[in-house]
């Protein structure tokens, strides 16, 4: 088979399946992995697929565009609220350190925590200006807002100052938001600086809880900040693909599926 024909078939397979791996393609076309990598690199240059670690994804599943906080708050609020209320059950029933990531789904959790109160003595570290304000309004929380540079589009604090602070901290549990979650690419987001802060939270927490509505499953963004093996729990909504949930559980990840009205 000529290289051009093989590449056309690879592009077609990627479009149909959503993603392909170097190993699968190498076996399918009986060529070396290096040949497949060259094929994928060329297809990526042509815009036919998007190259990721270990393979490629269809361009329709790969995203780089970020929406503002206001835009994202208007997207699937019922699902985000139900995910947030499910996350309450994972808060320790004792004094504990908590990392609370930036994002609109974690903002729903901040609101739910503020309404619940702080009877257990939690200390909360966040890089989100809105989350810090929401929790501070309650008056009963020990809150640390990380210092650094504020990204206007997400209202998240990023940069070396935030990373240095997180490097000295350890949390019992981290509640992490993400722009995308896929089996091969793990958790990913659009901005390298936000990815670095998320990565530090994941690395320095004993338990990692990912709050991710079903529209983000099976997708990839530009920067991966955690592998699938670093996730302990995924909370998503009932529109999630059963196959994708099975894949997560096959990687020893606890999956909590909420109903849209579970927060009512």
């Amino acid at each position: 088979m000529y290289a051009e024909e093989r590449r056309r078939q690879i592009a077609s397979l990627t479009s149909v399946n959503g993603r392909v791996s170097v190993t699968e393609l190498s076996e399918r076309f009986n060529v070396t992995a290096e040949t497949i990598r060259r094929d994928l690199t060329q297809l990526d240059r042509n815009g036919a697929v998007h190259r990721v670690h270990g393979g490629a994804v269809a361009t329709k599943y790969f995203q780089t565009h970020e929406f503002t906080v206001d835009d994202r708050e208007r997207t699937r609020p019922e699902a985000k609220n139900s995910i947030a209320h499910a996350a309450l059950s994972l808060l320790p029933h004792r004094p504990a350190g908590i990392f609370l990531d930036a994002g609109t789904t974690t903002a729903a959790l901040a609101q739910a925590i503020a309404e619940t109160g702080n009877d257990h003595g939690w200390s909360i570290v966040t890089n989100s200006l809105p989350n810090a304000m929401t929790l501070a309004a309650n008056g009963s929380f020990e809150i640390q807002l990380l210092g650094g540079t504020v990204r206007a589009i997400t209202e998240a604090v990023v940069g070396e100052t935030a990373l240095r602070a997180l490097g000295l901290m350890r949390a019992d549990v981290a509640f992490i938001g993400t722009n995308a979650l896929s089996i091969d690419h793990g958790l990913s987001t659009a901005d390298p600086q936000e990815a670095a802060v998320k990565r530090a939270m994941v690395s320095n927490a004993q338990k990692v809880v990912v709050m991710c509505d079903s529209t983000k499953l099976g997708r990839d963004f530009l920067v991966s900040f955690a592998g699938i093996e670093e996730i302990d729990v995924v909370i998503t909504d009932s529109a999630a693909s059963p196959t994708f949930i099975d894949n997560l559980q096959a990687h020893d990840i606890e999956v909590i599926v909420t109903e849209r009205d579970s927060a009512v």
Side-chain angles (χ1 to χ4, degrees):
M1 180 182 294
Y2 291 110
E4 288 186 7
E5 174 60 23
R6 184 176 61 248
R7 288 170 186 167
R8 279 196 295 270
Q9 291 193 29
I10 290 172
S12 177
L13 284 168
T14 308
S15 178
V16 170
N17 297 329
R19 64 187 312 115
V20 291
S21 73
V22 170
T23 301
E24 292 169 347
L25 294 175
S26 177
E27 293 175 355
R28 184 184 184 97
F29 294 104
N30 194 28
V31 295
T32 65
E34 186 57 36
T35 295
I36 294 298
R37 292 189 186 98
R38 287 196 296 268
D39 288 341
L40 295 178
T41 297
Q42 186 60 51
L43 288 167
D44 181 273
R45 288 173 182 162
N46 295 340
V49 305
H50 185 84
R51 188 82 164 85
V52 296
H53 179 72
V57 296
T59 52
K60 65 181 179 180
Y61 290 107
F62 181 82
Q63 303 177 53
T64 57
H65 176 70
E66 283 186 286
F67 293 96
T68 66
V69 170
D70 287 343
D71 288 336
R72 287 183 290 130
E73 282 179 342
R74 291 191 289 267
T75 303
R76 309 200 72 220
E78 300 92 346
K80 291 175 181 178
N81 286 331
S82 68
I83 290 169
H85 281 75
L88 287 175
S89 67
L90 299 178
L91 287 161
H93 295 285
R94 56 179 172 77
I98 296 166
F99 288 153
L100 186 60
D101 186 23
T104 51
T105 309
T106 55
L109 176 58
Q111 184 62 48
I113 292 174
E115 292 170 357
T116 301
N118 192 22
D119 295 336
H120 299 292
W122 301 315
S123 298
I124 301 177
V125 176
T126 185
N127 68 322
S128 166
L129 295 178
N131 289 356
M133 295 285 288
T134 296
L135 293 166
N138 176 280
S140 65
F141 293 93
E142 179 184 335
I143 305 161
Q144 180 165 342
L145 175 63
L146 295 174
T149 303
V150 178
R151 291 192 72 227
I153 193 169
T154 58
E155 299 177 0
V157 178
V158 299
E160 287 300 318
T161 302
L163 293 175
R164 284 197 297 270
L166 283 171
L168 300 175
M169 299 177 182
R170 296 295 181 271
D172 294 273
V173 58
F175 292 94
I176 303 295
T178 186
N179 292 90
L181 168 57
S182 68
I183 301 301
D184 294 334
H185 203 46
L187 303 172
S188 57
T189 193
D191 181 72
Q193 291 193 91
E194 282 208 43
V197 173
K198 290 173 182 288
R199 186 179 300 116
M201 287 186 173
V202 169
S203 298
N204 294 333
Q206 292 183 0
K207 185 174 186 177
V208 176
V209 178
V210 177
M211 304 173 65
C212 180
D213 75 71
S214 57
T215 63
K216 300 173 182 177
L217 301 179
R219 295 184 177 274
D220 291 319
F221 259 71
L222 183 63
V223 187
S224 175
F225 62 86
I228 201 79
E229 70 282 355
E230 298 176 86
I231 301 169
D232 296 298
V233 183
V234 170
I235 310 176
T236 190
D237 60 85
S238 57
S241 160
T243 300
F244 196 88
I245 291 173
D246 289 344
N247 285 336
L248 291 174
Q249 292 173 333
H251 285 80
D252 295 324
I253 297 171
E254 178 185 355
V255 181
I256 299 173
V257 179
T258 70
E259 297 297 332
R260 289 184 61 185
D261 61 351
S262 63
V264 178

PDB file of all heavy atoms in Angstrom, residues 24-50:
ATOM      1  N   GLU A  24      -2.034   0.364  17.402  1.00  0.00           N
ATOM      2  CA  GLU A  24      -3.130  -0.215  16.618  1.00  0.00           C
ATOM      3  C   GLU A  24      -2.890  -0.042  15.120  1.00  0.00           C
ATOM      4  O   GLU A  24      -3.095  -0.977  14.337  1.00  0.00           O
ATOM      5  CB  GLU A  24      -4.450   0.452  17.000  1.00  0.00           C
ATOM      6  CG  GLU A  24      -4.922   0.128  18.407  1.00  0.00           C
ATOM      7  CD  GLU A  24      -6.080   1.021  18.825  1.00  0.00           C
ATOM      8  OE1 GLU A  24      -6.351   2.030  18.129  1.00  0.00           O
ATOM      9  OE2 GLU A  24      -6.716   0.702  19.843  1.00  0.00           O
ATOM     10  N   LEU A  25      -2.467   1.128  14.726  1.00  0.00           N
ATOM     11  CA  LEU A  25      -2.249   1.395  13.302  1.00  0.00           C
ATOM     12  C   LEU A  25      -1.074   0.607  12.750  1.00  0.00           C
ATOM     13  O   LEU A  25      -1.115   0.136  11.618  1.00  0.00           O
ATOM     14  CB  LEU A  25      -2.026   2.895  13.091  1.00  0.00           C
ATOM     15  CG  LEU A  25      -3.217   3.800  13.394  1.00  0.00           C
ATOM     16  CD1 LEU A  25      -2.816   5.259  13.268  1.00  0.00           C
ATOM     17  CD2 LEU A  25      -4.387   3.490  12.458  1.00  0.00           C
ATOM     18  N   SER A  26      -0.041   0.464  13.559  1.00  0.00           N
ATOM     19  CA  SER A  26       1.121  -0.312  13.132  1.00  0.00           C
ATOM     20  C   SER A  26       0.738  -1.754  12.837  1.00  0.00           C
ATOM     21  O   SER A  26       1.156  -2.344  11.828  1.00  0.00           O
ATOM     22  CB  SER A  26       2.208  -0.248  14.213  1.00  0.00           C
ATOM     23  OG  SER A  26       3.318  -1.045  13.858  1.00  0.00           O
ATOM     24  N   GLU A  27      -0.083  -2.327  13.710  1.00  0.00           N
ATOM     25  CA  GLU A  27      -0.534  -3.706  13.507  1.00  0.00           C
ATOM     26  C   GLU A  27      -1.499  -3.813  12.330  1.00  0.00           C
ATOM     27  O   GLU A  27      -1.427  -4.760  11.535  1.00  0.00           O
ATOM     28  CB  GLU A  27      -1.211  -4.218  14.779  1.00  0.00           C
ATOM     29  CG  GLU A  27      -0.250  -4.363  15.951  1.00  0.00           C
ATOM     30  CD  GLU A  27      -0.963  -4.747  17.234  1.00  0.00           C
ATOM     31  OE1 GLU A  27      -2.222  -4.796  17.221  1.00  0.00           O
ATOM     32  OE2 GLU A  27      -0.277  -4.984  18.245  1.00  0.00           O
ATOM     33  N   ARG A  28      -2.373  -2.832  12.200  1.00  0.00           N
ATOM     34  CA  ARG A  28      -3.380  -2.874  11.137  1.00  0.00           C
ATOM     35  C   ARG A  28      -2.740  -2.802   9.751  1.00  0.00           C
ATOM     36  O   ARG A  28      -3.131  -3.528   8.830  1.00  0.00           O
ATOM     37  CB  ARG A  28      -4.362  -1.710  11.314  1.00  0.00           C
ATOM     38  CG  ARG A  28      -5.511  -1.714  10.304  1.00  0.00           C
ATOM     39  CD  ARG A  28      -6.394  -0.484  10.476  1.00  0.00           C
ATOM     40  NE  ARG A  28      -7.544  -0.521   9.593  1.00  0.00           N
ATOM     41  CZ  ARG A  28      -8.748  -0.938   9.928  1.00  0.00           C
ATOM     42  NH1 ARG A  28      -8.959  -1.367  11.159  1.00  0.00           N
ATOM     43  NH2 ARG A  28      -9.735  -0.941   9.060  1.00  0.00           N
ATOM     44  N   PHE A  29      -1.749  -1.934   9.591  1.00  0.00           N
ATOM     45  CA  PHE A  29      -1.144  -1.728   8.270  1.00  0.00           C
ATOM     46  C   PHE A  29       0.175  -2.474   8.091  1.00  0.00           C
ATOM     47  O   PHE A  29       0.806  -2.375   7.033  1.00  0.00           O
ATOM     48  CB  PHE A  29      -0.932  -0.228   8.031  1.00  0.00           C
ATOM     49  CG  PHE A  29      -2.221   0.549   7.918  1.00  0.00           C
ATOM     50  CD1 PHE A  29      -2.665   1.343   8.971  1.00  0.00           C
ATOM     51  CD2 PHE A  29      -3.001   0.471   6.777  1.00  0.00           C
ATOM     52  CE1 PHE A  29      -3.858   2.056   8.880  1.00  0.00           C
ATOM     53  CE2 PHE A  29      -4.196   1.169   6.680  1.00  0.00           C
ATOM     54  CZ  PHE A  29      -4.627   1.967   7.726  1.00  0.00           C
ATOM     55  N   ASN A  30       0.584  -3.213   9.126  1.00  0.00           N
ATOM     56  CA  ASN A  30       1.791  -4.041   9.057  1.00  0.00           C
ATOM     57  C   ASN A  30       3.015  -3.211   8.680  1.00  0.00           C
ATOM     58  O   ASN A  30       3.804  -3.566   7.794  1.00  0.00           O
ATOM     59  CB  ASN A  30       1.605  -5.186   8.060  1.00  0.00           C
ATOM     60  CG  ASN A  30       2.681  -6.258   8.220  1.00  0.00           C
ATOM     61  OD1 ASN A  30       3.224  -6.453   9.319  1.00  0.00           O
ATOM     62  ND2 ASN A  30       2.999  -6.941   7.135  1.00  0.00           N
ATOM     63  N   VAL A  31       3.161  -2.076   9.355  1.00  0.00           N
ATOM     64  CA  VAL A  31       4.339  -1.236   9.176  1.00  0.00           C
ATOM     65  C   VAL A  31       4.884  -0.892  10.562  1.00  0.00           C
ATOM     66  O   VAL A  31       4.249  -1.152  11.581  1.00  0.00           O
ATOM     67  CB  VAL A  31       3.998   0.068   8.406  1.00  0.00           C
ATOM     68  CG1 VAL A  31       3.559  -0.245   6.977  1.00  0.00           C
ATOM     69  CG2 VAL A  31       2.918   0.863   9.136  1.00  0.00           C
ATOM     70  N   THR A  32       6.054  -0.289  10.592  1.00  0.00           N
ATOM     71  CA  THR A  32       6.670   0.023  11.875  1.00  0.00           C
ATOM     72  C   THR A  32       5.965   1.190  12.560  1.00  0.00           C
ATOM     73  O   THR A  32       5.295   2.008  11.911  1.00  0.00           O
ATOM     74  CB  THR A  32       8.153   0.390  11.694  1.00  0.00           C
ATOM     75  OG1 THR A  32       8.249   1.603  10.947  1.00  0.00           O
ATOM     76  CG2 THR A  32       8.903  -0.730  10.970  1.00  0.00           C
ATOM     77  N   ALA A  33       6.168   1.256  13.864  1.00  0.00           N
ATOM     78  CA  ALA A  33       5.595   2.357  14.626  1.00  0.00           C
ATOM     79  C   ALA A  33       6.165   3.696  14.147  1.00  0.00           C
ATOM     80  O   ALA A  33       5.457   4.703  14.106  1.00  0.00           O
ATOM     81  CB  ALA A  33       5.878   2.164  16.118  1.00  0.00           C
ATOM     82  N   GLU A  34       7.422   3.708  13.774  1.00  0.00           N
ATOM     83  CA  GLU A  34       8.038   4.947  13.295  1.00  0.00           C
ATOM     84  C   GLU A  34       7.376   5.427  12.001  1.00  0.00           C
ATOM     85  O   GLU A  34       7.176   6.631  11.798  1.00  0.00           O
ATOM     86  CB  GLU A  34       9.538   4.733  13.069  1.00  0.00           C
ATOM     87  CG  GLU A  34      10.288   5.997  12.699  1.00  0.00           C
ATOM     88  CD  GLU A  34      10.129   7.100  13.723  1.00  0.00           C
ATOM     89  OE1 GLU A  34      10.064   6.794  14.928  1.00  0.00           O
ATOM     90  OE2 GLU A  34      10.063   8.278  13.299  1.00  0.00           O
ATOM     91  N   THR A  35       7.010   4.485  11.116  1.00  0.00           N
ATOM     92  CA  THR A  35       6.304   4.852   9.884  1.00  0.00           C
ATOM     93  C   THR A  35       4.961   5.501  10.215  1.00  0.00           C
ATOM     94  O   THR A  35       4.577   6.514   9.618  1.00  0.00           O
ATOM     95  CB  THR A  35       6.081   3.621   9.007  1.00  0.00           C
ATOM     96  OG1 THR A  35       7.350   3.114   8.581  1.00  0.00           O
ATOM     97  CG2 THR A  35       5.259   3.947   7.763  1.00  0.00           C
ATOM     98  N   ILE A  36       4.251   4.909  11.164  1.00  0.00           N
ATOM     99  CA  ILE A  36       2.954   5.474  11.563  1.00  0.00           C
ATOM    100  C   ILE A  36       3.138   6.855  12.167  1.00  0.00           C
ATOM    101  O   ILE A  36       2.343   7.773  11.902  1.00  0.00           O
ATOM    102  CB  ILE A  36       2.242   4.537  12.562  1.00  0.00           C
ATOM    103  CG1 ILE A  36       1.861   3.221  11.876  1.00  0.00           C
ATOM    104  CG2 ILE A  36       1.010   5.221  13.154  1.00  0.00           C
ATOM    105  CD1 ILE A  36       0.885   3.378  10.724  1.00  0.00           C
ATOM    106  N   ARG A  37       4.163   7.036  12.984  1.00  0.00           N
ATOM    107  CA  ARG A  37       4.400   8.358  13.569  1.00  0.00           C
ATOM    108  C   ARG A  37       4.640   9.402  12.483  1.00  0.00           C
ATOM    109  O   ARG A  37       4.155  10.543  12.577  1.00  0.00           O
ATOM    110  CB  ARG A  37       5.590   8.302  14.532  1.00  0.00           C
ATOM    111  CG  ARG A  37       5.324   7.483  15.795  1.00  0.00           C
ATOM    112  CD  ARG A  37       6.451   7.643  16.816  1.00  0.00           C
ATOM    113  NE  ARG A  37       6.238   6.751  17.940  1.00  0.00           N
ATOM    114  CZ  ARG A  37       6.829   5.561  18.076  1.00  0.00           C
ATOM    115  NH1 ARG A  37       7.666   5.123  17.123  1.00  0.00           N
ATOM    116  NH2 ARG A  37       6.582   4.803  19.120  1.00  0.00           N
ATOM    117  N   ARG A  38       5.383   9.030  11.433  1.00  0.00           N
ATOM    118  CA  ARG A  38       5.594   9.967  10.327  1.00  0.00           C
ATOM    119  C   ARG A  38       4.278  10.264   9.609  1.00  0.00           C
ATOM    120  O   ARG A  38       4.006  11.411   9.231  1.00  0.00           O
ATOM    121  CB  ARG A  38       6.620   9.396   9.346  1.00  0.00           C
ATOM    122  CG  ARG A  38       8.062   9.418   9.856  1.00  0.00           C
ATOM    123  CD  ARG A  38       9.051   9.215   8.719  1.00  0.00           C
ATOM    124  NE  ARG A  38       8.905   7.896   8.122  1.00  0.00           N
ATOM    125  CZ  ARG A  38       9.587   6.818   8.502  1.00  0.00           C
ATOM    126  NH1 ARG A  38      10.468   6.917   9.505  1.00  0.00           N
ATOM    127  NH2 ARG A  38       9.419   5.648   7.908  1.00  0.00           N
ATOM    128  N   ASP A  39       3.453   9.227   9.437  1.00  0.00           N
ATOM    129  CA  ASP A  39       2.144   9.433   8.808  1.00  0.00           C
ATOM    130  C   ASP A  39       1.304  10.419   9.619  1.00  0.00           C
ATOM    131  O   ASP A  39       0.690  11.343   9.067  1.00  0.00           O
ATOM    132  CB  ASP A  39       1.382   8.104   8.704  1.00  0.00           C
ATOM    133  CG  ASP A  39       1.950   7.170   7.651  1.00  0.00           C
ATOM    134  OD1 ASP A  39       2.680   7.644   6.762  1.00  0.00           O
ATOM    135  OD2 ASP A  39       1.651   5.964   7.725  1.00  0.00           O
ATOM    136  N   LEU A  40       1.265  10.214  10.926  1.00  0.00           N
ATOM    137  CA  LEU A  40       0.450  11.069  11.787  1.00  0.00           C
ATOM    138  C   LEU A  40       0.980  12.498  11.815  1.00  0.00           C
ATOM    139  O   LEU A  40       0.198  13.456  11.852  1.00  0.00           O
ATOM    140  CB  LEU A  40       0.397  10.493  13.203  1.00  0.00           C
ATOM    141  CG  LEU A  40      -0.310   9.148  13.352  1.00  0.00           C
ATOM    142  CD1 LEU A  40      -0.242   8.675  14.804  1.00  0.00           C
ATOM    143  CD2 LEU A  40      -1.754   9.217  12.888  1.00  0.00           C
ATOM    144  N   THR A  41       2.293  12.635  11.802  1.00  0.00           N
ATOM    145  CA  THR A  41       2.882  13.970  11.761  1.00  0.00           C
ATOM    146  C   THR A  41       2.474  14.705  10.493  1.00  0.00           C
ATOM    147  O   THR A  41       2.108  15.890  10.522  1.00  0.00           O
ATOM    148  CB  THR A  41       4.414  13.881  11.850  1.00  0.00           C
ATOM    149  OG1 THR A  41       4.778  13.304  13.099  1.00  0.00           O
ATOM    150  CG2 THR A  41       5.047  15.265  11.735  1.00  0.00           C
ATOM    151  N   GLN A  42       2.492  14.001   9.359  1.00  0.00           N
ATOM    152  CA  GLN A  42       2.096  14.619   8.091  1.00  0.00           C
ATOM    153  C   GLN A  42       0.609  14.957   8.091  1.00  0.00           C
ATOM    154  O   GLN A  42       0.204  16.040   7.646  1.00  0.00           O
ATOM    155  CB  GLN A  42       2.414  13.677   6.923  1.00  0.00           C
ATOM    156  CG  GLN A  42       2.166  14.288   5.542  1.00  0.00           C
ATOM    157  CD  GLN A  42       3.005  15.531   5.317  1.00  0.00           C
ATOM    158  OE1 GLN A  42       4.213  15.522   5.510  1.00  0.00           O
ATOM    159  NE2 GLN A  42       2.356  16.616   4.912  1.00  0.00           N
ATOM    160  N   LEU A  43      -0.206  14.052   8.593  1.00  0.00           N
ATOM    161  CA  LEU A  43      -1.648  14.305   8.659  1.00  0.00           C
ATOM    162  C   LEU A  43      -1.958  15.482   9.582  1.00  0.00           C
ATOM    163  O   LEU A  43      -2.870  16.265   9.321  1.00  0.00           O
ATOM    164  CB  LEU A  43      -2.381  13.046   9.131  1.00  0.00           C
ATOM    165  CG  LEU A  43      -2.444  11.899   8.114  1.00  0.00           C
ATOM    166  CD1 LEU A  43      -2.909  10.613   8.798  1.00  0.00           C
ATOM    167  CD2 LEU A  43      -3.374  12.253   6.964  1.00  0.00           C
ATOM    168  N   ASP A  44      -1.190  15.584  10.666  1.00  0.00           N
ATOM    169  CA  ASP A  44      -1.360  16.713  11.582  1.00  0.00           C
ATOM    170  C   ASP A  44      -1.034  18.028  10.872  1.00  0.00           C
ATOM    171  O   ASP A  44      -1.751  19.024  11.012  1.00  0.00           O
ATOM    172  CB  ASP A  44      -0.459  16.520  12.801  1.00  0.00           C
ATOM    173  CG  ASP A  44      -0.595  17.646  13.815  1.00  0.00           C
ATOM    174  OD1 ASP A  44       0.109  18.664  13.682  1.00  0.00           O
ATOM    175  OD2 ASP A  44      -1.409  17.495  14.729  1.00  0.00           O
ATOM    176  N   ARG A  45       0.043  18.038  10.099  1.00  0.00           N
ATOM    177  CA  ARG A  45       0.423  19.242   9.357  1.00  0.00           C
ATOM    178  C   ARG A  45      -0.661  19.640   8.353  1.00  0.00           C
ATOM    179  O   ARG A  45      -0.893  20.825   8.114  1.00  0.00           O
ATOM    180  CB  ARG A  45       1.730  19.001   8.617  1.00  0.00           C
ATOM    181  CG  ARG A  45       2.968  18.930   9.516  1.00  0.00           C
ATOM    182  CD  ARG A  45       4.186  18.516   8.747  1.00  0.00           C
ATOM    183  NE  ARG A  45       5.356  18.395   9.609  1.00  0.00           N
ATOM    184  CZ  ARG A  45       6.460  17.738   9.277  1.00  0.00           C
ATOM    185  NH1 ARG A  45       6.549  17.149   8.094  1.00  0.00           N
ATOM    186  NH2 ARG A  45       7.476  17.680  10.119  1.00  0.00           N
ATOM    187  N   ASN A  46      -1.318  18.641   7.787  1.00  0.00           N
ATOM    188  CA  ASN A  46      -2.366  18.899   6.805  1.00  0.00           C
ATOM    189  C   ASN A  46      -3.709  19.248   7.452  1.00  0.00           C
ATOM    190  O   ASN A  46      -4.667  19.579   6.748  1.00  0.00           O
ATOM    191  CB  ASN A  46      -2.557  17.677   5.903  1.00  0.00           C
ATOM    192  CG  ASN A  46      -1.326  17.391   5.057  1.00  0.00           C
ATOM    193  OD1 ASN A  46      -0.487  18.267   4.856  1.00  0.00           O
ATOM    194  ND2 ASN A  46      -1.211  16.160   4.577  1.00  0.00           N
ATOM    195  N   GLY A  47      -3.783  19.108   8.787  1.00  0.00           N
ATOM    196  CA  GLY A  47      -5.023  19.414   9.490  1.00  0.00           C
ATOM    197  C   GLY A  47      -6.036  18.288   9.468  1.00  0.00           C
ATOM    198  O   GLY A  47      -7.183  18.480   9.872  1.00  0.00           O
ATOM    199  N   ALA A  48      -5.619  17.095   9.017  1.00  0.00           N
ATOM    200  CA  ALA A  48      -6.557  15.974   8.914  1.00  0.00           C
ATOM    201  C   ALA A  48      -6.801  15.313  10.271  1.00  0.00           C
ATOM    202  O   ALA A  48      -7.883  14.769  10.521  1.00  0.00           O
ATOM    203  CB  ALA A  48      -6.039  14.933   7.923  1.00  0.00           C
ATOM    204  N   VAL A  49      -5.787  15.308  11.135  1.00  0.00           N
ATOM    205  CA  VAL A  49      -5.906  14.776  12.491  1.00  0.00           C
ATOM    206  C   VAL A  49      -5.122  15.700  13.401  1.00  0.00           C
ATOM    207  O   VAL A  49      -4.403  16.589  12.933  1.00  0.00           O
ATOM    208  CB  VAL A  49      -5.355  13.328  12.614  1.00  0.00           C
ATOM    209  CG1 VAL A  49      -6.010  12.390  11.620  1.00  0.00           C
ATOM    210  CG2 VAL A  49      -3.832  13.309  12.443  1.00  0.00           C
ATOM    211  N   HIS A  50      -5.262  15.460  14.707  1.00  0.00           N
ATOM    212  CA  HIS A  50      -4.397  16.179  15.641  1.00  0.00           C
ATOM    213  C   HIS A  50      -3.540  15.164  16.376  1.00  0.00           C
ATOM    214  O   HIS A  50      -4.043  14.242  17.011  1.00  0.00           O
ATOM    215  CB  HIS A  50      -5.192  17.011  16.643  1.00  0.00           C
ATOM    216  CG  HIS A  50      -4.287  17.826  17.514  1.00  0.00           C
ATOM    217  ND1 HIS A  50      -3.794  19.050  17.128  1.00  0.00           N
ATOM    218  CD2 HIS A  50      -3.748  17.557  18.721  1.00  0.00           C
ATOM    219  CE1 HIS A  50      -2.994  19.507  18.071  1.00  0.00           C
ATOM    220  NE2 HIS A  50      -2.953  18.626  19.046  1.00  0.00           N
TER     221      HIS A  50
END
